[in-house]
Amino acid sequence: MNYVYCLISEAAPDRRYVGYSEDLRQRLLDHNEGSNPATAPFTPWRIRGYVAFESKDQALAFERYLKSGSGHAFAKKRLW
């Protein structure tokens, strides 16, 4: 499966992150180990929500959307 996930920082609850992964559990471990420079300063992270897609292309398109202006508004209203 292909996952688009939303993380929220436990250390700084106003910090959120949207990403893509084929292995959601491992990706969360990577974020919490500080492997991603964008999320390392705000560890630990927890999953706020995710959407699973069969198609990688669909998942990546949804991730791009969530990172856009209208996608931020959608996520704030529906996902956070």
Side-chain angles (χ1 to χ4, degrees):
M1 293 301 289
N2 299 277
Y3 301 95
V4 176
Y5 59 89
C6 303
L7 302 179
I8 188 165
S9 170
E10 292 181 1
D14 61 320
R15 294 293 183 158
R16 292 169 171 80
Y17 181 83
V18 172
Y20 160 82
S21 180
E22 293 179 9
D23 185 345
L24 189 54
R25 289 183 182 155
Q26 182 59 51
R27 191 65 181 127
L28 179 61
L29 289 173
D30 293 344
H31 281 291
N32 284 327
E33 290 173 355
S35 299
N36 183 329
T39 59
F42 307 104
T43 59
W45 293 89
R46 65 181 168 85
I47 296 173
R48 178 73 169 123
Y50 66 91
V51 179
F53 295 88
E54 286 186 22
S55 162
K56 182 176 181 176
D57 290 339
Q58 286 179 319
L60 291 174
F62 188 61
E63 179 196 21
R64 276 191 308 276
Y65 167 70
L66 289 180
K67 291 181 175 184
S68 72
S70 60
H72 280 286
F74 172 83
K76 185 175 180 181
K77 186 173 183 179
R78 303 282 185 215
L79 302 176
W80 307 122

